[in-house]
Each structure stands twice: as structure tokens, then as C-alpha cells.
């Protein structure tokens, strides 16, 4: 089945503008605020006292904690972020008629799915990064190929290798259109990233952190809903094609007339 990108966009936006979309928006916002605060606090905590005193006014969101505590907090929130994306994927991938409520399976086997999503996310990120460093286009190819990894983990309850293979298979034949989503996300990410330095130069680092996180959430939540819609299109089309070819019948086991 050919991916209908315009339908994925409109359907993804509808999935975002629901009660669950609002809750997921707040969850994403809180996690990102926590991660940014943990990173800033860890960096500030590991600096020498003199350097920390000079840097503190430009550090943005921070907490009065040590560098070690900040690092632990970052690790905890990173794992929590993986769990969040499992729940997000399961929520956005349910039928649109049920999009206003969280699915009953939203927390099913959450620990296993979170661990798989975390490890797989690291593998995919490193693979895509290496691809971009080499010649750019390999990175774009890998990013499009593994775009559905989290949905294979969360929705289909697959393991690490199986999810990577599943995403690769679903993307086959639609990588060019999926690459458009990857490029658009990169452009928006770059634009959002430019906001922080400008506000830092204006002397409002806390506002810079908050503005960047809010803009990131506003863009990337619908982005994941659009990917969910694309996943549903390709999954249903792929499974229909697989199911349309019946298993061969063993004629030797068929009763003769």
C-alpha cells in the first residue's frame, strides 16, 4: 500500500487535538523540562566553584543539587522518557474513534517495552548519526527505515531485533515520503534550536530553555501522531497483502472425489 502522506498529516493532527493528546502534551513538556534542568544542574555541579559561580547566571533552568545527583536525575528521566514514548505510541496508534481515551494496554508489559525502546533508541540514534556523518543520505535512509521502530516495540510487543526488522519492512517502498518527514523534523528542530542562542544573547537563559522546550513539544507531539498514522496505513496495508496470499494447500492431504 502506498503511503498517503497528506492523510497521515491530517489524521495525525486530529489525534493530537484530543483529550489524550492534551495529557501527552503536558507529559512531554514536564519530561523535557526535567531533562533540561537535570543537564544544566549536572554541568553546573561538576564545574569548579569559581567557574560555576560565573556560569550560574547563564545556566538556564537549574536545581540546587550536586553534579552527581543531576546526572542520576538525567538518567532516570531518560528512562522515563522511553516509557512515555511507549505509552504515546500505543495511544496514537489506536483507532481514531477511541483517541480520546488511553488504551487498556497502555501500560501492559511496560518495563520490557521501555527497556527495548531505550536500547533500540540508542542503536538507531548511533546508526543514523554515523550515516549523517558519512554522506548525509545514508543517515536519511536509516532514519526513514527505523521511523516505526517504537511502534513495533510498543504496539506489536516485539523484541529488539524483530522491531528493527519490522520497521525496515514497513518502510520499504515508502522511504522517499518518510524521508520528507525526517527532513521537515530536522528543519523545524534546527529552527527551534536557533531560538535558544538568541534569547541567551538577550540575557534571559531561563526563558530560552522554556521557550525551546515549549516549541519542541508543540512541534514534535503532532509529528509523532503523524508517524503513528503513517504506521497504521503501512501496517494495515502490509498485513492485508500478507493475508491475501493463502498458505499453499498440501494436495496429498485433500480427499479425492
Amino acid at each position: 500500500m502506498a503511503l498517503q502522506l497528506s492523510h497521515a498529516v491530517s489524521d495525525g493532527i486530529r489525534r493530537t487535538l484530543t483529550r489524550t493528546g492534551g495529557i501527552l502534551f503536558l507529559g512531554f513538556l514536564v519530561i523535557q523540562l526535567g531533562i533540561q534542568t537535570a543537564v544544566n544542574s549536572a554541568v553546573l555541579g561538576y564545574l569548579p566553584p569559581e567557574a560555576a559561580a560565573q556560569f550560574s547566571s547563564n545556566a538556564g533552568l537549574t536545581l540546587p543539587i550536586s553534579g552527581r545527583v543531576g546526572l542520576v536525575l538525567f538518567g532516570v528521566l531518560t528512562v522515563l522518557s522511553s516509557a512515555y514514548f511507549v505509552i504515546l505510541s500505543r495511544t496514537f496508534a489506536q483507532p481514531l474513534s477511541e483517541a480520546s481515551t488511553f488504551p487498556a494496554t497502555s501500560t501492559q508489559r511496560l518495563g520490557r517495552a521501555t527497556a527495548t525502546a531505550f536500547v533500540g533508541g540508542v542503536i538507531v540514534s548511533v546508526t543514523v548519526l554515523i550515516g549523517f556523518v558519512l554522506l548525509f543520505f545514508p543517515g536519511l535512509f536509516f532514519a526513514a527505515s527505523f521511523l516505526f521502530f517504537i511502534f513495533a516495540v510498543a504496539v506489536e510487543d516485539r523484541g529488539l531485533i524483530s522491531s528493527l526488522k519490522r520497521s525496515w519492512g514497513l518502510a520499504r517502498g515508502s522511504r522517499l515520503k518518510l524521508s520528507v518527514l525526517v527532513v521537515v523534523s530536522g528543519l523545524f528542530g534546527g529552527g527551534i534550536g536557533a531560538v535558544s542562542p538568541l534569547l541567551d544573547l538577550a540575557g534571559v537563559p531561563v526563558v530560552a530553555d522554556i521557550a525551546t522546550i515549549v516549541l519542541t513539544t508543540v512541534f514534535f507531539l503532532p509529528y509523532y501522531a503523524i508517524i503513528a498514522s503513517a504506521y497504521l496505513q503501512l501496517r494495515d496495508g502490509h498485513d492485508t497483502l500478507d493475508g491475501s496470499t493463502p498458505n499453499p494447500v498440501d494436495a496429498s492431504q485433500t480427499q479425492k472425489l
Side-chain angles (χ1 to χ4, degrees):
M1 176 182 178
L3 174 63
Q4 298 178 10
L5 201 54
S6 59
H7 173 74
V9 171
S10 59
D11 183 67
I13 292 174
R14 284 197 295 270
R15 291 173 185 274
T16 307
L17 299 176
T18 58
R19 172 179 168 273
T20 51
I23 295 173
L24 289 169
F25 178 90
L26 292 176
F28 192 91
L29 194 64
V30 170
I31 291 173
Q32 292 303 308
L33 285 169
I35 289 176
Q36 186 62 59
T37 301
V39 170
N40 292 345
S41 301
V43 171
L44 197 63
Y46 278 109
L47 288 176
E50 299 81 7
Q54 294 179 350
F55 181 68
S56 59
S57 60
N58 297 315
L61 294 168
T62 57
L63 289 173
I65 55 179
S66 67
R68 180 175 298 178
V69 173
L71 201 58
V72 170
L73 180 60
F74 170 75
V76 170
L77 289 172
T78 300
V79 174
L80 181 61
S81 177
S82 295
Y84 166 86
F85 278 108
V86 170
I87 295 173
L88 176 145
S89 300
R90 290 172 174 173
T91 302
F92 279 156
Q94 63 181 336
L96 185 58
S97 59
E98 302 172 11
S100 60
T101 58
F102 287 96
T105 58
S106 59
T107 57
Q108 181 178 329
R109 301 182 70 178
L110 186 58
R112 175 184 180 275
T114 298
T116 304
F118 178 80
V119 175
V122 172
I123 293 173
V124 170
S125 297
V126 171
T127 302
V128 171
L129 179 61
I130 292 174
F132 277 123
V133 168
L134 291 178
L135 292 170
F136 179 78
F137 288 106
L140 190 61
F141 177 83
F142 287 132
S145 297
F146 295 127
L147 207 55
F148 303 124
F149 167 77
I150 185 63
F151 294 94
V153 171
V155 180
E156 302 181 21
D157 198 27
R158 293 173 179 260
L160 177 60
I161 303 301
S162 178
S163 295
L164 292 170
K165 290 181 178 179
R166 174 65 163 168
S167 181
W168 188 279
L170 289 175
R172 185 178 295 115
S174 300
R175 288 188 176 92
L176 185 59
K177 291 182 179 179
L178 294 174
S179 295
V180 172
L181 293 178
V182 175
V183 170
V184 169
S185 70
L187 292 175
F188 270 86
I192 293 170
V195 172
S196 183
L198 293 175
L199 292 175
D200 283 336
L201 290 174
V204 283
V206 173
V207 175
D209 281 349
I210 294 174
T212 301
I213 291 167
V214 170
L215 290 174
T216 299
T217 305
V218 168
F219 172 75
F220 278 100
L221 192 71
Y223 173 73
Y224 276 102
I226 291 168
I227 296 174
S229 180
Y231 159 75
L232 291 173
Q233 282 189 49
L234 296 175
R235 182 199 67 179
D236 294 345
H238 185 273
D239 292 347
T240 299
L241 288 175
D242 286 348
S244 64
T245 304
N247 293 326
V249 178
D250 185 355
S252 65
Q253 302 299 321
T254 305
Q255 185 177 0
K256 295 182 179 180
L257 297 177

